Amino acid sequence: MHDNQPQPPRRSSITRVVLARLILALALGLAVASGLIRAGFLDIPNRFNPFTPLRVADDVSWLTRWKLSRLEGNRGQCLAVLDGSPVAHRAVPDRASEDGCGLSNAVEVSRSSVGLSGSFTATCPLTVAWALFERHVLLPAARDHLGQEVVRVVHFGTYACRNINHRAGGRRSEHATANAIDIAGFVLADGRQITVRSYWSGGDERREAFLRALRDGACRFFDVVLSPDYNEAHHDHFHFDMGSYRACR
C-alpha cells in the first residue's frame, strides 16, 4: 500500500522562508530607523548619521567614504565641505572636455593646514579627500613616527593632459581631469625633508615607517593610491586619485 500522506516541507525550503522573513524585517527596521533619523527623533553622532553632510573634522567611520563618494555629483555640498575645512580654495570655471582633458567641479587650492610647494587645481572631491588625509593620516603619522609637525607638502602637481604613465596611446590619466595629485615629499618643522625618493627604502626605519603609514592611510580616502611598490614610474612619489578604479599598492 502506498503512503498518500503529505510529506513535510524540506528543511532547505523552511530555511529560505525564514531568511526571507528576516531580510524583510531588517529592511523594514532600517526604513523605520531612517525615517526617525531624518525626522530628528533619533539623535546620533554626525559620523554615524548617513543623512548629515561630511565634515573633515569628524572622526572617521565606515560612513566616511560613502559620504565622500556622494560629493562627486553634488558641487554645492562639496564646496560646503571645503568651506568647513582648513583648505584655502576658490571655485574655478568648468573647462569643456577636449580629447579626454578638461575640468569639472574643480577648485584652486593655495594652502591648507600645512603649506604647499605650489598652488594646484583639483576636482572638489579629490580636494576633500586630501583634507581628510591630511587631518586624519598625515599630521598624526608625523607626530607618531617622527615626533614632528609637517609644515609643507611638496607635490608634482595635479592637472596634465596626458595618458597614463605618459604613454603615447592608451587610457587618459586621472591627471587629465585634475582628479589626481602626485606627492613627492614633506618638510618638517625642524627643516628636515622626507622625500619618497630618498626614504621609501633608504634604511631609515622611522622615515620608512612614516611613508608607509601615509600610503596605507591614504587608501582610506582615495580610490587609487600608488607608491614605489607599484612600479618604477612611481619611484619618487605617491599618486592619489579619485577615479573609477580601486587600488592600494
Side-chain angles (χ1 to χ4, degrees):
M1 182 182 296
H2 295 288
D3 187 354
N4 293 322
Q5 290 184 350
Q7 298 296 314
R10 294 181 179 179
R11 181 172 298 179
S12 59
S13 299
I14 296 175
T15 301
R16 285 197 294 269
V17 171
V18 171
L19 284 176
R21 290 177 177 175
L22 286 174
I23 292 172
L24 178 60
L26 178 61
L28 290 173
L30 289 174
V32 170
S34 297
L36 292 174
I37 293 171
R38 281 183 181 275
F41 292 111
L42 286 180
D43 185 18
I44 62 175
N46 181 71
R47 66 183 185 278
F48 296 128
N49 189 337
F51 304 111
T52 57
L54 176 67
R55 293 191 303 187
V56 171
D58 284 344
D59 291 339
V60 177
S61 75
W62 62 274
L63 282 171
T64 302
R65 278 197 64 86
W66 181 73
K67 290 185 177 184
L68 179 58
S69 68
R70 287 167 51 190
L71 301 180
E72 295 180 12
N74 193 323
R75 181 195 298 262
Q77 189 176 92
C78 190
L79 292 174
V81 174
L82 284 181
D83 288 341
S85 78
V87 177
H89 64 283
R90 68 174 185 85
V92 299
D94 289 353
R95 186 185 306 167
S97 178
E98 182 177 347
D99 296 329
C101 299
L103 295 177
S104 177
N105 190 16
V107 296
E108 182 179 343
V109 177
S110 55
R111 69 164 291 120
S112 53
S113 57
V114 299
L116 301 169
S117 58
S119 61
F120 62 79
T121 298
T123 62
C124 185
L126 177 75
T127 307
V128 172
W130 172 261
L132 288 164
F133 164 77
E134 187 178 275
R135 178 181 178 90
H136 299 287
V137 179
L138 175 60
L139 299 181
R143 299 183 194 114
D144 292 345
H145 293 281
L146 305 171
Q148 287 278 323
E149 297 291 333
V150 170
V151 296
R152 191 162 172 257
V153 172
V154 180
H155 65 85
F156 287 159
T158 51
Y159 179 78
C161 185
R162 62 173 177 82
N163 295 334
I164 293 175
N165 291 334
H166 300 272
R167 296 190 185 108
R171 185 164 54 89
R172 283 297 195 194
S173 166
E174 291 297 324
H175 286 287
T177 53
N179 203 31
I181 186 169
D182 290 339
I183 304 298
F186 311 89
V187 180
L188 304 180
D190 64 3
R192 285 182 293 164
Q193 294 192 34
I194 312 296
T195 63
V196 176
R197 175 197 290 268
S198 298
Y199 293 108
W200 183 256
S201 55
D204 187 309
E205 292 184 1
R206 292 173 62 197
R207 297 181 189 188
E208 285 183 27
F210 167 67
L211 291 175
R212 279 163 173 73
L214 299 188
R215 190 270 309 274
D216 296 344
C219 298
R220 300 164 66 189
F221 306 114
F222 299 98
D223 290 333
V224 172
V225 175
L226 303 178
S227 72
D229 283 350
Y230 180 59
N231 62 15
E232 178 59 25
H234 295 84
H235 73 283
D236 60 352
H237 69 277
F238 294 136
H239 169 95
F240 301 154
D241 78 45
M242 296 297 286
S244 56
Y245 296 89
R246 287 285 292 156
C248 182
R249 300 280 297 276

